[in-house]
Structure formats: structure tokens, C-alpha cells
Amino acid sequence: MDVERTALPGIGLQHVMTTARGRQIGVISHRTGRRDLVIYDREDPDSCIATVALTPDEATAIAELLGTGRIVEHLAELHRQVDGLVTEQFPIPAGSPYDGRPLGDTRARTRTGASIVAVVRGGEVIASPRPDFTFTAGDIIVVVGTGEGTAAVAQILTDG
């Protein structure tokens, strides 16, 4: 089983795993200590179908129930193996062809291989935005992928 670890600048860390039955679940660890348990759509792994915000105490209780020792060891090893993966932040500029349009219209992941994993709007973080999430000029888009892929997403957001 693989666990993908992604740094979310200004937010914290995202860990996503795929179950034996093909379901993706993840945990977004905010710098504040809050954890979001996230379940992704089976048909569109960039879309979140459910999020449960957990306090630090609730996250600790669940971790104890699941047994954290093996998970922490495995994540440390994965972190050492992920070379070439970057996280970038790009604004939706005024005049962007995607200002007022949904994320799904960008087809960013299909076109670039990079994923839009969060949007920061007015200090609020929208983790794992759905394809129907509508961008607004000034939104900060958090993108994960190769350097080339993230640069291509920035180009798409600027020029279409």
C-alpha cells in the first residue's frame, strides 16, 4: 500500500492512501493541529466527497485506535523516496480565462499530470476542491506535481 505525502504550503501536510478496494482516503494535517479526514470520489480522485474536521484530541484517539507506530514508520520511508515532487501556489489573476469558471473546466490533471489540491480564498482553505468549485480572481491555487506539471497549470490558469 502506498501513502502519498504532499506538503501544502501555508496549510500543512496531506497524506492520501488507496485501499485494497480502490478507495482513496486522506488526512490533511493543518499547522494549527486540526486534522481533516477526507474521502475522495471513486470516479474523480481529485474530488472530495466527505470531510470530517477533527480536533487534535479526536485525531489522537483515532490514531490510537488504528495503531500509529507502523504508519509513522512507513510515512518516514515514503518521505525519503519522493524526489521530483513539488508543491506550488499560484493566484488566479484578474482576467484569467478561469475567473468565474469551475475547476473541472481546466482539465489541469489530465493536461499536465499535476493536481490542484487546495484553494485559499480570503484566508480560508478549501481542501480537495470538487470539479464544480468556481474560481475567483485572487484565489490562491495549491498545485502538486512535477516542476514542469505545476508550471503548466500556472500557464493554463493565466492563458487558458
Side-chain angles (χ1 to χ4, degrees):
M1 174 179 356
D2 291 326
V3 177
E4 295 178 31
R5 178 182 187 260
T6 306
L8 302 176
I11 300 166
L13 294 173
Q14 175 186 38
H15 295 92
V16 177
M17 65 171 269
T18 303
T19 67
R21 293 184 177 181
R23 296 303 306 260
Q24 285 191 317
I25 58 174
V27 174
I28 297 175
S29 303
H30 296 259
R31 291 183 302 160
T32 61
R34 186 182 101 200
R35 302 288 191 270
D36 292 338
L37 181 60
V38 183
I39 301 172
Y40 296 94
D41 188 318
R42 185 184 302 263
E43 301 301 317
D44 182 4
D46 288 334
S47 295
C48 169
I49 60 171
T51 301
V52 178
L54 302 170
T55 66
D57 288 339
E58 293 165 339
T60 299
I62 289 176
E64 288 174 0
L65 289 171
L66 295 175
T68 59
R70 290 182 43 200
I71 294 169
V72 170
E73 182 179 301
H74 186 67
L75 290 175
E77 177 59 28
L78 282 175
H79 179 60
R80 288 189 286 274
Q81 295 175 8
V82 182
D83 285 330
L85 191 63
V86 298
T87 302
E88 300 284 349
Q89 295 183 32
F90 304 107
I92 297 289
S96 166
Y98 293 102
D99 181 11
R101 289 180 55 197
L103 179 151
D105 285 0
T106 68
R107 296 180 41 244
R109 185 172 181 182
T110 302
R111 294 168 66 185
T112 69
S115 295
I116 296 173
V117 297
V119 176
V120 181
R121 177 182 287 164
E124 177 187 352
V125 176
I126 297 100
S128 301
R130 296 180 55 85
D132 60 353
F133 177 87
T134 302
F135 292 126
T136 301
D139 285 348
I140 304 298
I141 310 308
V142 181
V143 182
V144 176
T146 63
E148 183 179 292
T150 58
V153 171
Q155 185 74 34
I156 289 169
L157 296 175
T158 302
D159 300 327

